[in-house]
Amino acid sequence: MAVTLREVAAKAGVSPITASRALNNSGYVSRELRDRVLAAASELSYVPNAVASSLRSSKTQLLALLAGVINPFWAAVARGIEEVANDAGYGVLLCNTDDDPAREARYIDQLVRRRIDGIIVAATKDSASILQGLKRQHQAFVLIDRVVEGVEADTVRGDGSGAAYRLTQHLLSTGYRHIGMISGPHNVSTAEERAAGYRTALIDAGLDVHEDMILHGQYTESWGYEAAHKLMSREPRPDALFAANNSLALGILEALHTLGLRVPEDVAVVCFDDTTNLVSARFLTTASQPAQEMGRVATRLLLERLAAPERAPQHIILPIETVIRSSCGCSAGDRENSLERTEALLSPAAVLPVELAAGSGSEGSYGQR
């Protein structure tokens, strides 16, 4: 049977109130009495009731991440969150929303009812009213990777539009002209931002934007597979495909394989979010977001919000690296060499500085591949 606070108090020869103050470091207790209570608690192996303690203090020492956590990107974000949270004495709950506003709403309701201390949420645009409700309830939260129009809150994200611009410009500078874009759902800000960067790069290169070459769906491998089949049936057939996240890229690679097409000999592929933990994708040219750092920064913002609820919101945009590998064709060398070879799959990444990744954008750099 668990030792009670009353038993600790009796052992130390003090009242339960004094024992509680000594153990919780609340209210004045002389050093002598505090030492007696702590010694008694240690001798009896007393373990405080965390639930009762949280009800009294209105703190659970828990944070939550709401996101599509099955994606490798979010796994890396969660590691960053856990690192900072654990150092601060907090546990972390992971809630998989799959970008479903209804699931997001249910999770938020459950977390608030359970008195969660803070929430880090990769929100959809449909969640504006829910997030506004959190603000009215003075529930601490941070938006991560995404923004929601009309919601003024702490945010941390990458420069999605700029990174998509640079990836598209890189394909253009390598000579590709029929570039298809496979993106996420319209109700997620990152999907719109990345498509916007793609469009701007085409316009700046003096090319027309064909909206039928931009397909929006879920950020899933299955949608990448389906969308790639659709785009590759178009005329003219795309000579390059831009995947708005790593799950889409894996679906695209599978689709191209079933179609008997090689990367990059027949079609180039670039994507958002690095996938170097997946052997089959180690040759992908990517916009590599600092996922773990994003999680760390979001957690620090949340802890600051808990400490100072009335402070002005902070908006942090992290840089995104363009990582050039073989899938875009520019480093493939002799285009008769197949990138299915192990050497290509295991070749180390060449990280291109932002200044170089942007390129000159001059007309003279196009058409060379």
Side-chain angles (χ1 to χ4, degrees):
M1 182 178 294
V3 176
T4 66
L5 178 65
R6 189 173 296 275
E7 289 174 304
V8 173
K11 178 73 173 177
V14 300
S15 69
I17 292 178
T18 299
S20 176
R21 288 174 176 171
L23 291 170
N24 293 302
N25 198 27
S26 60
Y28 175 75
V29 178
S30 69
R31 174 171 292 185
E32 178 189 353
L33 290 183
R34 190 184 305 278
D35 289 344
R36 277 164 49 188
V37 171
L38 294 176
S42 176
E43 185 176 339
L44 295 174
S45 299
Y46 172 70
V47 178
N49 186 323
V51 174
S53 177
S54 70
L55 289 174
R56 289 192 298 271
S57 66
S58 297
K59 297 292 184 183
T60 59
Q61 294 301 117
L62 286 173
L63 308 178
L65 167 64
L66 273 68
V69 295
I70 60 174
N71 185 298
F73 169 77
W74 289 111
V77 169
R79 289 187 63 184
I81 291 172
E82 186 180 39
E83 177 185 316
V84 175
N86 285 348
D87 287 347
Y90 287 83
V92 179
L93 301 178
L94 302 181
C95 304
N96 180 38
T97 63
D98 278 337
D99 292 328
D100 181 344
R103 292 183 68 174
E104 196 173 296
R106 286 196 298 272
Y107 271 128
I108 288 176
D109 180 66
Q110 292 168 7
L111 292 170
V112 171
R113 288 176 183 273
R114 286 164 174 74
R115 309 169 77 96
I116 196 79
D117 289 339
I119 302 171
I120 298 172
V121 55
T124 61
K125 294 181 179 180
D126 302 316
S127 301
S129 61
I130 298 171
L131 297 174
Q132 292 288 17
L134 290 182
K135 289 177 69 70
R136 288 192 295 270
Q137 296 175 62
H138 304 288
Q139 170 67 60
F141 71 93
V142 171
L143 296 177
I144 188 168
D145 189 50
R146 304 166 182 180
V147 294
V148 178
E149 187 175 353
V151 177
E152 184 64 12
D154 293 311
T155 61
V156 56
R157 58 193 179 95
D159 177 17
S161 179
Y165 180 96
R166 292 192 294 274
L167 266 186
T168 307
Q169 190 182 58
H170 177 72
L171 287 172
L172 292 168
S173 70
T174 308
Y176 298 100
R177 284 298 179 274
H178 303 293
I179 304 170
M181 174 82 175
I182 299 176
S183 194
H186 284 292
N187 69 341
V188 174
S189 65
T190 53
E192 297 288 348
E193 290 169 1
R194 293 167 193 180
Y198 157 88
R199 288 188 184 94
T200 303
L202 293 178
I203 292 170
D204 286 353
L207 300 176
D208 293 331
V209 176
H210 299 282
E211 292 298 327
D212 63 344
M213 292 285 280
I214 307 172
L215 299 184
H216 284 272
Q218 295 303 306
Y219 271 137
T220 61
E221 188 172 336
S222 60
W223 170 241
Y225 181 89
E226 178 184 348
H229 274 280
K230 289 181 178 180
L231 284 180
M232 297 312 292
S233 67
R234 303 276 172 85
E235 289 295 339
R237 194 178 74 181
D239 54 6
L241 294 176
F242 186 150
N245 86 339
N246 47 19
S247 294
L248 292 171
L250 294 180
I252 289 170
L253 292 176
E254 179 64 22
L256 295 177
H257 176 73
T258 63
L259 292 170
L261 297 174
R262 299 170 302 165
V263 178
E265 289 85 355
D266 302 311
V267 58
V269 177
V270 299
C271 76
F272 244 82
D273 301 329
D274 217 343
T275 53
T276 52
N277 59 317
L278 303 172
V279 173
S280 62
R282 285 182 180 171
F283 71 109
L284 280 171
T285 289
T286 69
S288 181
Q289 298 195 91
Q292 283 190 241
E293 181 62 15
M294 191 178 291
R296 295 186 194 102
V297 172
T299 311
R300 293 187 192 109
L301 285 178
L302 188 56
L303 295 177
E304 290 175 12
R305 174 62 57 190
L306 289 169
E310 302 304 320
R311 70 161 173 76
Q314 298 183 49
H315 306 291
I316 297 176
I317 299 179
L318 300 176
I320 299 176
E321 286 185 313
T322 303
V323 181
I324 305 301
R325 299 191 181 96
S326 299
S327 69
C328 59
C330 67
S331 60
D334 185 351
R335 295 179 65 82
E336 294 182 359
N337 291 332
S338 173
L339 290 182
E340 295 174 358
R341 293 180 180 176
T342 303
E343 294 85 354
L345 288 173
L346 301 180
S347 62
V351 178
L352 198 67
V354 170
E355 295 80 10
L356 294 179
S360 65
S362 63
E363 189 65 31
S365 65
Y366 301 137
Q368 304 297 317
R369 83 175 157 96

